[in-house]
Amino acid sequence: MEGETFLWLIRHAPVDGVAGTIHAPDAPADLGDRAQLQALRQRLPRDSASYASPSRRTVETARALGLEPDLVGNFSEQDFGDWTGRRHDELAASGGEAYAQFWGDPAHARPPGGESFEDQVARVRHGLSRIGAGPATLVVHSGTIRAALCIALDLAPQSALRFVIDPLSLTRIDRLATGWRVVSVNQRVV
């Protein structure tokens, strides 16, 4: 890809749903933090390309930021398969050995019917490769941002899972002719 790409990655607003749940793509966003949304809106580049995962919470967050993003399936959150819609505490109590084994190696293990974080990194790599030069805003998920950091820093997937990515936080990375540059991670702009 010719030219340099400057990426503003925003994690969607908190999910308007039961905490501790592996939320489905149709889970809505809680857009009640107007001050944070306004602060983020002011930090975004004008006239940039904008993208979002096709999940309801990312689209709602993007629109609250004044964006009309192109929806990119490669930027979806990790697919937890059969565990989607269930609570972590319920799975820990009744999920059997599969749930415990998954958390023994969350970068490489796959939930039943789902994908590993390593699979997500490959998807995100493909999605990022299709973004052209110039500024771009991505409203995505914590896992998607961790995957982008994994790529930018050339980390093992297990290491990238250590990043904390809060709702409505801003992460900035650039794809330069000489390689990737990480400008900031998990900034709360208020």
Side-chain angles (χ1 to χ4, degrees), residues 83-148:
W83 295 344
T84 301
R86 298 183 63 195
R87 292 178 45 93
H88 285 285
D89 57 358
E90 170 202 339
L91 287 164
S94 66
E97 194 61 28
Y99 188 77
Q101 285 178 348
F102 174 81
W103 291 108
D105 186 12
H108 302 98
R110 289 184 179 93
E115 68 179 344
S116 68
F117 177 65
E118 190 173 48
D119 296 333
Q120 184 181 18
V121 171
R123 270 196 297 104
V124 170
R125 184 182 308 278
H126 181 71
L128 291 175
S129 74
R130 301 178 60 84
I131 295 177
T137 302
L138 285 71
V139 181
V140 292
H141 307 271
S142 58
T144 309
I145 295 171
R146 287 183 189 103

